[in-house]
Amino acid sequence: MSARRYLCPPPEVLAATLTDEPGRPLELPDELRARLLEALRRPAPLRRPRRLDAFVVERGGELAATPFQWTARTARRSLGRRAARALATGVTPDALRAARLEVERLCDRARCGLERRGGLAPWLAGASTPVREQCAMEAAAWAHELIALLRPERTGVDVGLADAWFEVPGARTTLHARRDATADAGVLRLRDGFPSARAVDGLSVDGLVVALSAGSVPARVVGCWPDTGLAIVVEMTASRLEEAASNLVLAARPIETPSLVAA
Amino acid sequence: MTLPTTCGSLVIAPAAELIERLRGGRGVRPMVDPNLAGGVRAWLEDGLHERFGAQWRGTLRLSSSDVAPAAGASGALPVLRGALVAQLVALHVAGVTIDGAFHVAIEAMRSSGQEDQRLGELARLDEDDLAKLRVEVAAHDQVLRSSLHELPTRWSPRCGVRLGLALAGGRVHCTGRVDLALGARGGSHASTCLVDVTTSPLDVRHETLCRYLALLETLRTGEQPLRVAVLSTAEASCLVEDVDAGLLADAVTDVLDVLEAQVAA
């Protein structure tokens, strides 16, 4: 069985899925890696860069209906991850204060010209105080959920690390995997709402992208849906990696079609 | 603390006492029962099986508004008023000094990224309705100001918390949204509180809503909350209920009754 489902798992159980080393660590086969990269490079150069992630795979290659824009909702994970890290490392015991510190830090960086245009920091710097506070509240709630799920101070799990990214050479394609918590043997990500029918496929893609980015395959990828108390643990096996690679390639096709037609 | 008033079976307190009543007395908090959530879920699953049978293959969606339907005036205005006041809740909890509640609420709604439909409805309102809404939002803001001030950040306040529950192998989805959640779970005693903010006067359906939200939170986290409350900004009053097994059992019956009515319809 390569996917397990949990209802309201205690922090110790979740932490164990992230820390328990598998009997035999799995390697990403060179042949699979080469095949995947080749498939993503075909059939023609893209006009615009594209990003592939679990979200796109779960929707079968369909992109979000509206263009991305910064809102309190879209900013909450970026801010919340840093706030969760501040809580876990004892910088402050207060989630709202941690989120406010992160908002202030980003605003300072934007004012000093250290952040790129279109990013979160310039948007926050240009926003009013109520909007910034709204962002801090959303981020604090997100950080609170992550900390309540994992209790990193007890379990030793790392929270708030950077996501995994992998640039496919010659394909103008970036692969992205969200990583909200990690330990020796696994990665965990928080999700909204209810698990989709293809949640396991999405988590497997996260595992594959982490493997491409870090060079080693995580033993497990854990998806947590705190709104519903559900968690799915996907064991990364050779067949899962193979499946994830196929799903990535399939999801890539609908995205590249408009560009090809336009060309 | 002033004496609470009653309305039918409801015990209603002034809104200004909300936080005091949620905190309650020290040393009387119930222990978290680790088996309660599992037991309540089993009641629900068994109830679904008994009422709909093993052959039932439909899908159902249940939200707070199905369990406790809005009474009284219909139309866009009450819905918009509720949505705008919900934005102000988060800002009051964050301790923001709000100058011009209506415009601040619209700005917060715009930047929330979740209310595009409401913003469209707002844009379609005529001048009279906008003026009426402005006055109403300002009045409701006054109640929030008096009832949510001085909320300590160590209580881990979270606003707009979504609650969900999948039953019958994912064929029944129950959802709800809490305007304000307080306290952290994970201790030996129940310590989280849920607050729903309504812009209508309190009545019996809010008691049902309290039960429903407590049920979702219990099954979502595996721990029963300490208290659940509804704050009415229409009449500056609040309803605060202690959560126990009896309240959750009633919530199970409420949910099964509503689901049965949905299937029958």
Side-chain angles (χ1 to χ4, degrees):
Chain A
M1 192 168 68
S2 57
R4 299 191 302 273
R5 282 157 209 273
Y6 292 91
L7 267 175
C8 319
E12 287 72 20
V13 171
L14 274 184
T17 62
L18 296 175
T19 51
D20 287 355
E21 297 278 0
R24 188 187 302 165
L26 185 65
E27 298 276 324
L28 180 65
D30 289 341
E31 180 268 335
L32 173 63
R33 181 192 171 98
R35 221 162 7 103
L36 170 66
L37 300 189
E38 185 52 39
L40 290 174
R41 271 195 289 264
R42 275 196 320 249
L46 294 165
R47 293 177 71 198
R48 279 172 296 181
R50 70 181 168 190
R51 185 188 293 178
L52 295 176
D53 57 17
F55 175 79
V56 174
V57 168
E58 286 183 36
R59 293 165 62 106
E62 194 186 320
L63 295 176
T66 50
F68 180 83
Q69 58 176 359
W70 287 113
T71 62
R73 192 77 182 169
T74 51
R76 70 180 184 146
R77 181 173 172 270
S78 301
L79 297 170
R81 227 167 24 161
R82 293 285 298 228
R85 186 142 191 87
L87 287 171
T89 52
V91 173
T92 168
D94 176 346
L96 186 54
R97 184 169 151 68
R100 278 187 183 134
L101 286 174
E102 178 58 11
V103 169
E104 280 166 24
R105 189 187 72 86
L106 286 179
C107 288
D108 286 345
R109 285 181 61 85
R111 286 188 202 105
C112 297
L114 295 171
E115 294 280 336
R116 67 182 166 82
R117 278 170 57 192
L120 173 57
W123 179 74
L124 282 171
S128 64
T129 305
V131 171
R132 274 187 235 155
E133 285 294 328
Q134 187 185 24
C135 292
M137 280 298 295
E138 283 271 356
W142 192 93
H144 176 92
E145 282 298 344
L146 184 61
I147 297 293
L149 270 172
L150 286 167
R151 295 277 161 214
E153 75 282 2
R154 268 194 340 235
T155 56
V157 171
D158 264 340
V159 297
L161 299 180
D163 285 347
W165 298 88
F166 182 78
E167 199 71 37
V168 181
R172 304 191 75 188
T173 299
T174 308
L175 307 180
H176 174 219
R178 290 185 170 192
R179 229 175 358 187
D180 295 319
T182 58
D184 297 342
V187 297
L188 176 143
R189 62 176 294 200
L190 290 196
R191 311 284 304 270
D192 283 336
F194 291 86
S196 74
R198 297 195 62 192
V200 172
D201 290 341
L203 293 171
S204 306
V205 165
D206 282 332
L208 174 64
V209 176
V210 169
L212 284 165
S213 156
S216 58
V217 182
R220 288 164 215 100
V221 183
V222 184
C224 284
W225 285 260
D227 296 357
T228 57
L230 296 168
I232 298 179
V233 179
V234 173
E235 298 283 340
M236 292 304 291
T237 57
S239 60
R240 272 257 176 261
L241 285 171
E242 189 81 39
E243 229 172 89
S246 312
N247 284 331
L248 258 181
V249 173
L250 282 174
R253 281 185 188 146
I255 296 174
E256 67 197 11
T257 307
S259 304
L260 289 173
V261 170
Chain B
M1 191 184 288
T2 53
L3 283 174
T5 57
T6 56
C7 168
S9 62
L10 301 182
V11 180
I12 294 169
E17 292 178 7
L18 173 72
I19 300 303
E20 203 177 329
R21 285 180 181 274
L22 286 174
R23 186 198 286 125
R26 282 181 183 275
V28 291
R29 294 186 175 176
M31 299 285 287
V32 169
D33 179 351
N35 300 315
L36 183 59
V40 172
R41 185 179 281 273
W43 287 341
L44 261 175
E45 295 281 6
D46 290 351
L48 284 172
H49 186 80
E50 277 167 21
R51 295 200 190 198
F52 306 128
Q55 302 307 314
W56 178 70
R57 286 286 173 267
T59 56
L60 290 171
R61 298 276 183 275
L62 195 69
S63 68
S64 306
S65 56
D66 297 316
V67 178
S74 58
L77 227 49
V79 177
L80 284 171
R81 185 183 62 206
L84 289 167
V85 170
Q87 300 295 335
L88 293 173
V89 172
L91 298 178
H92 278 292
V93 170
V96 176
T97 307
I98 296 175
D99 189 15
F102 185 63
H103 292 292
V104 170
I106 291 176
E107 190 186 10
M109 191 186 251
R110 204 169 279 137
S111 63
S112 72
Q114 301 172 79
E115 298 281 8
D116 289 349
Q117 192 191 337
R118 302 267 179 271
L119 285 166
E121 289 168 10
L122 196 64
R124 285 192 291 276
L125 289 185
D126 59 28
E127 283 299 317
D128 287 350
D129 282 344
L130 275 176
K132 194 174 166 192
L133 196 57
R134 184 179 296 119
V135 172
E136 285 187 2
V137 169
H140 290 274
D141 180 60
Q142 286 299 323
V143 178
L144 291 179
R145 194 176 300 224
S146 64
S147 47
L148 295 178
H149 71 294
E150 293 175 5
L151 197 60
T153 54
R154 67 173 186 281
W155 288 14
S156 307
R158 285 97 62 205
C159 291
V161 178
R162 295 169 187 207
L163 313 176
L165 170 64
L167 296 166
R171 282 179 291 130
V172 178
H173 280 191
C174 304
T175 55
R177 189 175 179 277
V178 171
D179 289 308
L180 172 63
L182 299 165
R185 61 180 191 262
S188 55
H189 290 78
S191 56
T192 55
C193 294
L194 312 176
V195 182
D196 186 74
V197 178
T198 178
T199 56
S200 59
L202 291 177
D203 58 37
V204 176
R205 69 200 158 90
H206 291 115
E207 208 176 7
T208 313
L209 180 64
C210 279
R211 292 199 290 264
Y212 179 66
L213 295 176
L215 176 74
L216 293 187
E217 176 70 2
T218 304
L219 297 185
R220 177 182 86 100
T221 61
E223 286 180 19
Q224 78 271 27
L226 173 65
R227 292 188 181 94
V228 59
V230 179
L231 168 68
S232 165
T233 51
E235 50 188 20
S237 59
C238 65
L239 167 70
V240 182
E241 300 250 17
D242 290 348
V243 178
D244 55 20
L247 180 136
L248 296 173
D250 289 346
V252 168
T253 310
D254 295 337
V255 167
L256 291 173
D257 288 348
V258 176
L259 288 173
E260 196 166 22
Q262 277 195 3
V263 170

